[in-house]
Amino acid sequence: NDECLRHGELWHTCASDGKQFQQVHFFLHSNGYILRPLQGDGLPTTIALSPFSLVQACRLHTAEADEQMSWMRLFKISIFHHGVTHFFATQGEKADGERARW
């Protein structure tokens, strides 16, 4: 078994299944990650990373929106091998720092 490098609560949505965020418990491993929904009976989702994966900080639709919602910061993980992008959000007074640590 691969050791968990980091875990915590994040907001998540996948570009392929809509724009609605849900809270998840995120478990980061060296070869991928696991998403466990915090609400409902949803099953965990396991994502394998490939060498062609990219993590990027994201902005909201405008700089003004970023300023107005300074308590929320977005980032995305694009897995080109699977053709999928997962979006995540951190929130709180230290959202910038939290996003950087992920």
Side-chain angles (χ1 to χ4, degrees):
N1 267 347
D2 186 33
E3 185 179 329
C4 182
L5 302 173
R6 180 164 183 183
H7 63 91
E9 291 181 12
L10 294 171
W11 290 88
H12 166 259
T13 191
C14 185
S16 65
D17 57 14
K19 301 278 184 195
Q20 189 172 24
F21 278 87
Q22 70 171 347
Q23 272 190 297
V24 296
H25 202 107
F26 183 95
F27 299 88
L28 178 64
H29 296 265
S30 62
N31 60 350
Y33 55 92
I34 300 169
L35 304 171
R36 284 208 172 106
L38 290 180
Q39 315 236 323
D41 298 350
L43 295 173
T45 301
T46 301
I47 307 294
L49 294 174
S50 77
F52 303 104
S53 299
L54 177 65
V55 179
Q56 289 180 294
C58 301
R59 297 188 66 133
L60 294 172
H61 57 287
T62 65
E64 292 82 20
D66 271 345
E67 286 181 34
Q68 290 175 354
M69 297 184 72
S70 61
W71 51 270
M72 176 184 273
R73 290 295 179 246
L74 304 175
F75 67 96
K76 67 181 178 180
I77 301 175
S78 300
I79 306 167
F80 301 112
H81 181 77
H82 299 295
V84 68
T85 299
H86 290 261
F87 291 88
F88 298 92
T90 60
Q91 68 178 51
E93 290 181 17
K94 299 179 181 178
D96 275 318
E98 281 296 309
R99 175 177 65 181
R101 280 188 278 289
W102 283 108

